[in-house]
Amino acid sequence: MTKKAGKQAEQEAKQKSSQEGIDNKEHSGNNAHKTEKQSSGEEKPTEIQDQIPSEDQLADLNKKIEELSTQLDETKTSLSKTEESTREWQDKYIRLSAEFDNYRKRTIKEKTDLIKQANADLLKDILPVIDDFERGISHIDMSDNIDGLKQGIGLIYNKFIEFIRQNGIKEIEAKEKDFDIDFHEALTKIPAPTEELKGKVVDVIEKGYLLNDRIIRYAKVVVGE
């Protein structure tokens, strides 16, 4: 019995020692796990602190925000002034356009009225010539004096020529003058009667006239060759 009891005690001591080793391992593992947790927990606050900007950084950010805000206000003010200036120029353009349109209409009306008045004055001045023609025609049947009729017609003709001369109309000289395309229109060519008339106007079919030195009708002529 004494040997058995000794062996049993020895076995129990071994089991106890083995159990203590297991417990020590678990305790060590738990301690290591706790240490890791503590270490991890200590690092997180440090990372968060690193991400928080410092007072100097916050001051710089606020300064930049203020500068951007000032620039934005200045841009808005400049844009508002530009829009106001644009509206003023548009109003000026509309007023000037309306004034110019009124001026154009007034000028056209004045020009039309001036032409009408000029025509009226011209016709008024030609009425005495018409009166002379009517008097001459009324005496044709009652007069046997052919020379007197010729003389009367000549006076009327000269009066009419004087009238158109006073109004700026002048006859283009053509007979026996050098042919000039600026004043003459050649209807035909014929052999020149003399050597001197070659290249010159031999005959005038229809007289040409100038109005204030501007051609209003070319002289229609026959040219010698």
Side-chain angles (χ1 to χ4, degrees):
M1 289 292 290
T2 302
K3 289 180 181 180
K4 266 185 184 181
K7 286 182 180 180
Q8 188 174 0
E10 186 179 350
Q11 288 178 353
E12 288 178 354
K14 287 180 179 180
Q15 289 178 354
K16 185 177 180 181
S17 177
S18 176
Q19 184 65 39
E20 288 177 353
I22 292 170
D23 291 338
N24 288 333
K25 286 181 180 180
E26 289 179 353
H27 182 68
S28 297
N30 290 331
N31 288 337
H33 186 62
K34 287 179 180 179
T35 303
E36 289 177 359
K37 285 184 176 180
Q38 290 175 355
S39 176
S40 176
E42 289 174 356
E43 289 177 357
K44 285 184 178 178
T46 303
E47 292 177 358
I48 293 173
Q49 288 177 357
D50 291 340
Q51 293 177 359
I52 295 174
S54 64
E55 292 183 359
D56 292 338
Q57 290 175 334
L58 287 174
D60 290 339
L61 287 173
N62 289 331
K63 185 177 180 181
K64 289 181 179 179
I65 290 172
E66 289 178 358
E67 290 176 353
L68 290 174
S69 178
T70 303
Q71 291 178 2
L72 180 60
D73 292 339
E74 291 176 353
T75 302
K76 288 181 178 179
T77 302
S78 176
L79 181 61
S80 177
K81 290 181 179 179
T82 302
E83 290 177 350
E84 184 178 356
S85 177
T86 301
R87 285 193 296 270
E88 289 178 358
W89 280 108
Q90 286 177 342
D91 292 340
K92 288 181 180 179
Y93 171 77
I94 292 172
R95 287 197 299 271
L96 286 174
S97 179
E99 290 176 2
F100 176 76
D101 188 56
N102 292 333
Y103 169 77
R104 183 180 60 83
K105 291 179 180 178
R106 184 171 64 253
T107 302
I108 292 174
K109 185 177 183 302
E110 290 175 354
K111 185 177 180 180
T112 303
D113 293 341
L114 183 62
I115 292 173
K116 288 180 179 179
Q117 184 61 38
N119 290 336
D121 293 339
L122 181 65
L123 293 174
K124 181 181 178 181
D125 292 338
I126 204 173
L127 291 178
V129 179
I130 296 175
D131 293 337
D132 290 340
F133 271 115
E134 288 179 346
R135 281 192 290 267
I137 292 171
S138 65
H139 286 83
I140 289 177
D141 294 334
M142 296 183 298
S143 176
D144 295 330
N145 187 355
I146 303 300
D147 293 334
L149 290 174
K150 289 180 179 180
Q151 186 178 1
I153 293 174
L155 291 174
I156 296 172
Y157 172 78
N158 291 332
K159 188 174 183 179
F160 185 74
I161 292 299
E162 180 62 21
F163 162 75
I164 63 172
R165 187 189 64 79
Q166 291 176 355
N167 285 275
I169 296 177
K170 184 172 64 174
E171 180 182 341
I172 295 174
E173 296 183 1
K175 189 67 176 289
E176 297 184 356
K177 299 292 183 182
D178 291 333
F179 177 74
D180 189 344
I181 59 174
D182 292 332
F183 299 99
H184 307 144
E185 179 183 350
L187 297 182
T188 186
K189 291 182 179 181
I190 63 172
T194 62
E195 190 70 20
E196 291 79 8
L197 291 178
K198 286 185 177 180
K200 294 186 177 182
V201 176
V202 177
D203 192 14
V204 177
I205 306 300
E206 186 176 86
K207 291 182 178 181
Y209 292 94
L210 301 171
L211 175 59
N212 297 322
D213 296 328
R214 294 183 60 183
I215 294 177
I216 58 175
R217 191 174 77 178
Y218 288 93
K220 296 179 181 180
V221 299
V222 178
V223 181
E225 63 178 359

